[in-house]
Amino acid sequence: MTIIRWTGLEVAALRTALRDTQVQFADRIGCSLEAVGKWERRGADITLGAKYSECMDTTRSRLDNEQRARFDAALQDPDDLIQTTCAALSSPSSPAVEVGAQGSDDVGRRDFEATVIRDRRDPTESSPISTDRSHDIVSVLGRAHKLSRAIDPDVIAAIQSDIDAAISQYETRDNSNSFPLLFGQRTFVESLLNDTVRPKQRQQLFEAGAKISGLIGYILVGRGNFPLARAYCVESFQLSELSENMNIRAWSRGLQSFCEYYAGQYAESFEYARDGLAHDQPTPQGARLIINGVARALGKLGDISGVERAVDESYEMMQRSGGPDGISSSITLGCYSEAQIAGNAATAYVSLAMPDSVEEFARIAMPEMNKVGSPWGRSLVMIDLARSRIISDNSDLDGATALITDALDISSGQPMISLRQRASEFLREATDRWGNNFYTRSVREAIASLPEAK
């Protein structure tokens, strides 16, 4: 029998074949006890992801003939399998451990000690239950101790606060030494996930891990390291899926779209953004996904009507989500503002060679860009304006050159690949039209003087 799709039914059949408890099966597979319970409760209504499906394939391939026969037999009667599984889950003879219930590790420790004390009896006294009673107690209490593992809530709160600040303040603070700190945080979160079985705490750590990996991926895109950026963005998305936080899921998809846009994979950028929008309830990330992902990718793909629709939809999404005033971080977990939407719209229209639309949206974005301390936002809008002025009917190479050299000077301390790419596009367009002259040479020298991203 070949398993095409692993559902909760196949998981229950595999556990039955192995004659494992849920705790033993979770340890064998390398997942949480809660995950096993959820799969078996939902039966055929839930399908495992690729990671755990592969684990199930590997475990099934190691079954001996007797275990394989039990597995096949269990699947022949799924109704009986469901009833057996549900009865085991609800059986009063199998005490349930309420993971995450009110209490502490101290309480669990006192229960452990009290049980051991109660069972310190004469070793010669016969036991009506088992001739190896001490072994049974140690096994059960060992499992109970594992289920009591937790982390100080203040530790998780501090991690969440620190990464949220790093994201919200990313463009206004010095990030030259951010990598060691972020790598350290990511490793720490991974170790904490191994130290707790509390569902709420694991969810919080999945959220924190998704944000950290996403921010690392974003920085790597800025440095032009697309293979490693993709890996961290994938990790961010997988962690967001485990957290079951739809806003962080959408945020992670936005980062994947951002990565592919600057890697020149515009169709993939569009698909990631569109998938980020594919959920039942709107999230604050909607406006960012539409304007930063969908609209800009469609601009590169030459879809004028698609860009126009996306720009309109992003403004509507912002109004529904209550967009902020001014300018927030470009990778905010909240909603984009009107100025941020306008800045991204200008970029989309530059790709479509529509200078009047670029000027219209740049005029909306620029006043707010000048107020905040983000050099990148100002520089990118200025470069878009410069490009619009060399593709218009009344082209102005002199004024455009002044704009773009000023833009590169503003962000010269921390140049991102977005600045270098857009400035290079300006240079190519200007050189194609006017050749190698004083103005194009000055832009080429300005780009060459930018320090390489480290």
Side-chain angles (χ1 to χ4, degrees):
M1 180 187 297
T2 300
I3 303 301
I4 303 299
R5 182 171 68 95
W6 281 93
T7 70
L9 284 178
E10 285 76 22
V11 171
L14 183 59
R15 186 172 68 82
T16 299
L18 292 164
R19 292 181 173 166
D20 278 353
T21 65
Q22 285 194 336
V23 172
Q24 291 169 332
F25 190 73
D27 286 342
R28 183 192 297 272
I29 297 299
C31 65
S32 68
L33 175 63
E34 294 79 17
V36 177
K38 180 176 75 172
W39 294 334
E40 294 192 359
R41 281 195 303 274
R42 294 181 61 182
D45 293 333
I46 187 169
T47 300
L48 276 63
K51 173 184 175 182
Y52 285 119
S53 292
E54 185 176 345
C55 290
M56 299 301 171
D57 286 336
T58 301
T59 303
R60 179 174 173 271
S61 69
R62 294 172 180 170
L63 296 179
D64 59 30
N65 291 337
E66 182 179 349
Q67 291 169 331
R68 189 175 294 274
R70 286 200 295 267
F71 177 80
D72 294 341
L75 285 182
Q76 293 300 316
D77 192 354
D79 292 337
D80 181 65
L81 178 62
I82 292 172
Q83 291 174 3
T84 303
T85 302
C86 292
L89 288 171
S90 60
S91 171
S93 63
S94 301
V97 179
E98 186 179 352
V99 181
Q102 185 177 4
S104 67
D105 287 347
D106 291 337
V107 174
R109 191 158 47 249
R110 288 198 299 271
D111 289 345
F112 184 99
E113 293 168 353
T115 305
V116 173
I117 291 171
R118 282 199 302 272
D119 283 288
R120 285 177 180 167
R121 58 184 71 191
D122 186 346
T124 62
E125 183 179 336
S126 62
S127 169
I129 299 176
S130 169
T131 58
D132 192 15
R133 181 176 172 81
S134 61
H135 180 270
D136 289 343
I137 291 173
V138 170
S139 297
V140 173
L141 293 178
R143 293 196 299 270
H145 177 64
K146 285 183 178 180
L147 294 172
S148 71
R149 290 179 300 167
I151 299 167
D152 185 340
D154 289 342
V155 172
I156 298 178
I159 294 171
Q160 290 175 320
S161 176
D162 191 51
I163 187 59
D164 286 345
I167 290 172
S168 63
Q169 301 169 15
Y170 179 74
E171 292 165 6
T172 57
R173 70 180 188 178
D174 183 7
N175 293 288
S176 56
N177 296 316
S178 59
F179 262 135
L181 296 174
L182 290 170
F183 289 141
Q185 285 180 329
R186 183 64 191 90
T187 302
F188 185 45
V189 167
E190 188 70 25
S191 69
L192 292 179
L193 278 167
N194 294 324
D195 291 339
T196 182
V197 293
R198 304 291 173 89
K200 181 63 176 178
Q201 290 193 337
R202 291 182 66 81
Q203 180 186 30
Q204 292 170 332
L205 290 169
F206 287 139
E207 291 176 359
K211 294 174 189 177
I212 296 168
S213 294
L215 182 53
I216 292 174
Y218 179 79
I219 296 172
L220 287 167
V221 172
R223 299 182 179 193
N225 189 341
F226 296 113
L228 190 54
R230 286 189 179 103
Y232 271 102
C233 288
V234 167
E235 182 179 56
S236 174
F237 179 74
Q238 293 298 331
L239 288 166
S240 74
E241 291 268 80
L242 291 170
S243 77
E244 299 182 348
N245 184 315
M246 296 307 296
N247 191 55
I248 297 179
R249 180 191 186 279
W251 181 80
S252 297
R253 276 300 196 221
L255 292 174
Q256 290 179 293
S257 175
F258 173 82
C259 178
E260 297 307 327
Y261 179 84
Y262 281 106
Q265 304 300 316
Y266 305 119
E268 287 83 353
S269 175
F270 170 79
E271 290 298 335
Y272 278 127
R274 189 170 66 171
D275 184 73
L277 294 163
H279 45 69
D280 294 334
Q281 297 295 327
T283 74
Q285 287 294 295
R288 171 174 169 255
L289 283 166
I290 295 172
I291 194 66
N292 188 268
V294 172
R296 296 200 311 170
L298 290 178
K300 288 292 189 180
L301 295 170
D303 187 343
I304 295 176
S305 61
V307 169
E308 291 172 342
R309 285 195 304 272
V311 171
D312 289 342
E313 288 173 9
S314 63
Y315 276 112
E316 292 172 4
M317 186 74 74
M318 179 203 70
Q319 291 171 353
R320 288 199 298 269
S321 300
D325 295 328
I327 301 287
S328 55
S329 168
S330 61
I331 51 169
T332 177
L333 286 152
C335 183
Y336 262 15
S337 67
E338 181 181 7
Q340 287 173 301
I341 291 174
N344 281 273
T347 301
Y349 283 116
V350 164
S351 299
L352 295 170
M354 298 175 63
D356 291 342
S357 295
V358 177
E359 292 277 351
E360 174 190 351
F361 286 103
R363 281 197 299 270
I364 298 171
M366 205 61 196
E368 293 297 334
M369 295 291 181
N370 287 330
K371 290 179 184 177
V372 298
S374 169
W376 299 316
R378 291 173 60 199
S379 295
L380 291 172
V381 175
M382 291 169 68
I383 293 173
D384 286 343
L385 274 172
R387 291 181 63 194
S388 74
R389 291 175 184 177
I390 63 170
I391 60 177
S392 67
D393 293 335
N394 300 316
S395 56
D396 178 11
L397 181 59
D398 185 3
T401 300
L403 259 178
I404 200 165
T405 53
D406 286 347
L408 294 177
D409 184 61
I410 290 170
S411 299
S412 60
Q414 293 182 332
M416 295 179 69
I417 194 170
S418 53
L419 297 170
R420 190 181 295 275
Q421 277 192 3
R422 294 197 204 178
S424 298
E425 289 171 350
F426 171 94
L427 179 59
R428 183 172 61 253
E429 291 163 353
T431 303
D432 288 345
R433 185 167 182 178
W434 286 284
N436 185 24
N437 59 27
F438 168 78
Y439 298 107
T440 55
R441 283 195 299 273
S442 64
V443 174
R444 184 176 291 106
E445 290 169 1
I447 294 173
S449 68
L450 293 173
E452 292 293 334
K454 298 178 181 179

